[in-house]
Amino acid sequence: MEAKSVVYYMKDRKVGDPMAAEHSPLLEISGIKKYFDVSKGIFKKKKQYLKAVDRVNLTLNKGETVGIVGESGCGKSTLANIVMGALPPDEGNIIFDNTDIYSLSKKELKEKRRGFQMVFQDPSSSLNPRMTVFDIIAEPLKSFNIVKGKQLIEEVEKLLSIVGLDISYKKRYPHEFSGGQRQRIVIARALALKPKLIVCDEPVSALDVSIQAQILNLLRELQDKYHLTYLFIGHGLPSVHYISDRIAVMYLGEIVETGKKDIIFQKPAHPYTRALLSSVPVPDPDYQTEKRENTEILGDLPNPIDPPSGCKFHTRCPIAQDICKQKPPVLSSIRDNQQTACHFPITESLEEAKEYKAFIN
Amino acid sequence: MANDQTLLEVEHLKTHFFTEKGVIPSINDVSFSINKGEIVALVGESGSGKSVTSMSIMGLIESPGKIVNGSIIFDNQDLTSLTHKKYQKIRRNDMSMVFQEPLTALNPVFSIGFQLIETIKVQQKTNKKKAKEIAFEWLEKVRIPNPDKVFASYPHELSGGMRQRVMIAMALSSRPRLLIADEPTTALDVTIQKQILRLMKDLTKELDTAILFITHDLGIVAEMVDRVMVMYGGEIVEKSEVKQLFHAPKHPYTEGLLKSTPKINQWGEKLHAISGTVPTPSNLPKGCKFHPRCPKAFDRCESEHPPLIGHKDGSQVRCLLYER
């Protein structure tokens, strides 16, 4: 078997995000870098940096959902904080609605932030236990002086019913609710300012299985109704798969693969994406034995302070070659709607990829 | 019923918590058995009673909790009537547990090596030198790449996956006959989860250890286990072979749970969601515990508490729809 026919390798692959030109972008994450100084010692002779986010480019178009997946420590939550304007990046721009949010003054940023809101993982820690549901949802409306008096009450009641909560709940406190209901309150608060973008950082991870589906459905419904754009961060691949249009896979601060959901899940080209997908337990006992590629990924996540040279994944990669240790691969298009940062992307079928693997071993 | 293959037989187990606010019936009338070397899953959401069931078996229910009724027959003796000392002996030799969060289960001020040696010394009544040998043997068995380094490290210096490997080494070094694994991979990343699951499966097969696997992840159930018990509101609502459960779920709750789980091998329309919220043990509905959320509920479900009904395919289901 000829290896070259299996692995598709072209020098002049198209670089950049091909989706950006076709649609109208709402959020552009361009060249974001965030390094944390983790040097030890008083004199800090040797500088050490944790590269939490490294050269990340991502574009979100109006009305779509982009899912970011990756293991803990891959930088997905840091990226969310940077997008929210809460953590200035070392390099790069966050362009929301044609404005670079880090070029704005504090006051301007506050005004701009009406357009983008966040939903967190743990709804009990993102709700003030001493405030009633009414106060929680009314707070953003009051702070931007949007409505007052009777109208404020009406608006809060409207938001409650939008997220599927009874309007009589408005006088209660967060602890009186279950996790799923609390997450609905958080969503209602996020919706209060009629945002265009909602950043969801693992919004269903802390919830029970039967409740996860409710919240995911609610997020989808709201998207259709209000033409929302979501940046959806999660490590639970099935839920990210369910809600997203496009997916970006992160590994140690970098996007290693991105593209349309169907392509990423059906034809993953990066060995890490493949490993990630084959690690997800599938709730179907027959699927295991018959159709599943069974690649177990080796080893642990490397120390992010001292990441491997070249391609950061090479220490765990089943098909790594010498070049992978030396030269970091560039994210580039390998087929329509799919970009991969890998020297040897797997673009053929599973069977051929296996033969290729056997060939190089 | 019990035969010579039965390792654990739980019958009519009731554990209640006697709090100031009243009695909380965490589990009610739970009965099941586990055969030697078998992997059985206990599936349920928060508050369904799955962890209380496992703690009851381990004899770790503390005041205000109490086992008020039922028996736990392990190896022909009833654990509920054992003295503290005898129970400890069983926990030392025959039964182990792996918890969800290994960081809280390991002592932060002692090195991994020290904790392993202590455990092995007590379990197997050997001297320090022999215990160290066994410890290294187990670190290799749980596929830790550099045992020397891990042996000298402290828990916080290890990754979550490594810590869970150490926990598994500790739990299995006494070659127990039953391992209770309470969501052992929930805190881990998927690629590490896969490694740990495979490790548990391989090692317990080698030792012929049975596992009671507590989880809420139906994917893990499909990959790991032979039989499944679904818990809801403090009782078992369905018992089934794993394939039957996925191909022909019987209880409306099981059915809803399966439908509401997003799957990466299926291209989904809208997810089916179970309406309502998970009831807390202090506030369980009358009749069938699931009836307020059940799409198939009828008038009798509100008042009548359904028994476990045997189905012709061998599974059992607690639902009046299957009455005949």
Side-chain angles (χ1 to χ4, degrees), chain B residues 90-271:
Chain B
I90 289 204
R91 280 196 293 254
R92 202 156 60 211
N93 299 327
D94 299 320
M95 238 190 225
S96 304
M97 191 156 178
V98 177
F99 297 90
Q100 177 175 350
E101 181 40 82
L103 195 56
T104 53
L106 288 165
N107 191 330
V109 299
F110 293 111
S111 71
I112 297 292
F114 180 84
Q115 295 186 55
L116 267 172
I117 288 178
E118 279 301 294
T119 316
I120 292 165
K121 257 165 70 187
V122 174
Q123 275 171 355
Q124 311 191 9
K125 301 210 167 64
T126 53
N127 59 22
K128 200 175 163 190
K129 201 177 153 226
K130 186 86 179 64
K132 194 172 175 183
E133 269 171 40
I134 299 172
F136 269 97
E137 184 192 315
W138 273 97
L139 287 177
E140 263 163 46
K141 270 206 166 124
V142 294
R143 297 171 203 159
I144 284 177
N146 39 0
D148 291 304
K149 201 176 158 202
V150 169
F151 191 82
S153 327
Y154 287 83
H156 74 271
E157 296 173 309
L158 302 179
S159 67
M162 282 298 144
R163 286 197 283 260
Q164 202 57 291
R165 280 169 204 270
V166 171
M167 287 308 298
I168 292 170
M170 273 185 193
L172 292 181
S173 60
S174 64
R175 301 175 180 266
R177 282 182 289 166
L178 177 68
L179 176 71
I180 297 178
D182 193 349
E183 309 239 5
T185 57
T186 308
L188 304 175
D189 284 316
V190 280
T191 57
I192 309 298
Q193 166 169 289
K194 184 160 186 183
Q195 296 170 1
I196 297 289
L197 290 178
R198 181 168 290 181
L199 178 73
M200 286 179 72
K201 211 169 178 176
D202 291 350
L203 282 178
T204 50
K205 197 168 179 189
E206 191 188 316
L207 300 172
D208 200 28
T209 300
I211 309 183
L212 178 62
F213 205 107
I214 294 163
T215 181
H216 64 263
D217 189 329
L218 289 165
I220 295 178
V221 171
E223 291 201 355
M224 283 287 284
V225 312
D226 309 314
R227 281 193 301 126
V228 192
M229 297 171 300
V230 183
M231 283 193 85
Y232 188 84
E235 51 191 25
I236 293 178
V237 295
E238 184 160 354
K239 278 192 218 176
S240 171
E241 299 284 321
V242 67
K243 288 206 172 179
Q244 262 164 25
L245 187 95
F246 285 93
H247 290 314
K250 307 223 162 42
H251 199 281
Y253 173 65
T254 318
E255 216 181 311
L257 210 55
L258 284 172
K259 278 197 211 152
S260 62
T261 310
K263 297 166 192 73
I264 55 166
N265 60 332
Q266 276 171 21
W267 306 97
E269 285 306 298
K270 202 174 162 186
L271 266 185

Side-chain angles (χ1 to χ4, degrees), chain A residues 195-256:
Chain A
K196 292 175 183 158
L197 170 75
I198 297 185
V199 176
C200 308
D201 192 355
E202 312 230 3
V204 297
S205 305
L207 305 176
D208 274 319
V209 186
S210 70
I211 308 300
Q212 285 189 7
Q214 292 178 3
I215 298 295
L216 289 173
N217 280 339
L218 174 68
L219 286 171
R220 259 198 173 181
E221 258 168 50
L222 295 172
Q223 179 166 43
D224 289 346
K225 238 193 231 164
Y226 303 103
H227 205 60
L228 294 168
T229 306
Y230 291 138
L231 181 63
F232 191 95
I233 291 160
H235 66 250
L237 269 88
S239 54
V240 176
H241 170 254
Y242 173 69
I243 199 147
S244 304
D245 301 309
R246 282 194 297 139
I247 305 258
V249 183
M250 283 184 81
Y251 187 74
L252 287 178
E254 293 172 2
I255 292 183
V256 295

